[in-house]
Amino acid sequence: MNKRAVGRVRNKWAAAALAAALTVSGVAVGVSSASAAPVGASAIAGAIVAPPAQAAKKVMVTTADLNLRKSPSTKAKILTTLKKGTKVTVIGSKSSWRKVTAGKRTGWVSGKFLAAPPAKTSVKIASIVPVEGSTVISGKQVRVSGSASKNLAGKKLTVKVKVGSGWQTLSAKPKVTSAGKFTFTVKAIGIGKTTYRVVFAATKTGKRLAASSASRAVTVWKWLPLAGQRIVDSEAAWGWWEPNPSVVTMAGTTYRDGLLGRSRGGRVTWSEFNTSFQCRTFTALAGADDSSSGAAVGTSFASVDGSDVASSLVDLKLGKPTRITVDLTDVMRLRLSVFGSSSTAVAAAWGDARILCKQDVNPRD
């Protein structure tokens, strides 16, 4: 093949390559192989035009219930209605209209009702501890501490506590510090597992901030009147009675949530209450009721799961009562007993008798 023929082949190849490149770039051309001039690689590269750049996708939210239409016109078919606050991705625009995707649908909405999504926020409860002591007790103060995102500095939080199946809003309104911390005190309520929640409500004006919340549960213990618990077993002797709920009086002071029992002649009367491993402490003022005879002699004491508690033994004499405290940790049953050693009945009283529990174990009907 002579040099002229080789040149014609090369020109045909170059023309074909240029046509293909221009077709890819969206430009239709016609090239005559007969009249084609020699084409270099630089000419081909310069002829390839890049497709127009796509607008950057942008996530926005609807500021009202908004119709998603098939085309950018108020007369266009409505594909669906987007609820206020729906996130959409903007993929195009035409005048005041925006082409968006929402889930699996694509359509047009008015750009007047789109806004940038609010900034994310966060809150976290780090601890809930008693202000005094080591046990969270219903009616006593607890300190709640936590942290929040820096964009909540200076903002106030709402505090709630779960009561039953609903939430009750408390009066506390802690403010987030510049360091992103918050601390507040509230009165513990309820019994057993109690959940507290801090909430930041979304802002609707100024710098828009998204809502956030955090919850944390704590075990709340509660003092329950022992007189309010059901007696599960008892024994009386010689017609005298076992300890029962009653108003009692000792040294002239009346106690409404009390228990009263009588015994004589070397006999013991007693009553038992279930604590079912749900209680921690029993406490009461123990002594002789003012109705007891000055000649009566006896003692009262407490037992846990069949074992007498020495520190609960009280000589029953008229006068000021004695405070007794019994550990109920891992105890199934508490017994209160009266022993009357004289022929005259002695009246044993327990005033302000209470048990500290995380569950109202066996309440009376």
Side-chain angles (χ1 to χ4, degrees), residues 60 62 66 68 80-83 86-91 99-107 109:
M60 304 190 83
T62 58
L66 197 55
L68 181 70
T80 189
T81 299
L82 304 177
K83 295 293 184 182
T86 301
K87 285 186 176 182
V88 299
T89 302
V90 179
I91 58 175
K99 189 174 185 180
V100 302
T101 58
K104 295 182 179 180
R105 290 183 178 272
T106 298
V109 297

Side-chain angles (χ1 to χ4, degrees), residues 56 75 82 97 201 224 231 240-241 243 279 285 296 300 326 332 337 349:
K75 297 180 180 180
L82 304 177
W97 292 84
L224 303 171
I231 295 174
W240 301 103
W241 64 83
C279 302
L285 289 167
S300 67
V326 177
M332 174 65 193
S337 302

Side-chain angles (χ1 to χ4, degrees), residues 2-28:
N2 58 36
K3 291 183 179 180
R4 183 174 295 179
V6 171
R8 285 198 297 269
V9 170
R10 287 178 177 173
N11 284 345
K12 287 181 180 180
W13 175 85
L18 177 59
L22 293 176
T23 301
V24 170
S25 66
V27 181

Side-chain angles (χ1 to χ4, degrees), residues 272 301-310 312 326 331 333-335:
E272 289 187 342
F301 56 96
S303 308
V304 292
D305 291 343
S307 299
D308 296 341
V309 179
S312 69
V326 177
V331 169
R333 189 167 288 184
L334 168 69
R335 174 186 289 189

Side-chain angles (χ1 to χ4, degrees), residues 148-170:
S149 52
K150 292 296 182 67
N151 57 358
L152 291 185
K155 303 296 183 181
K156 288 186 177 181
L157 306 176
T158 299
V159 180
K160 298 184 178 185
V161 62
K162 195 168 188 179
V163 179
S165 59
W167 291 91
Q168 176 181 323
T169 301
L170 303 181

Side-chain angles (χ1 to χ4, degrees), residues 87 117-122 149-152 200 207-212:
K87 285 186 176 182
K120 291 183 178 180
T121 66
S122 65
S149 52
K150 292 296 182 67
N151 57 358
L152 291 185
F200 172 72
K207 184 179 180 181
R208 299 177 67 238
L209 300 173
S212 57

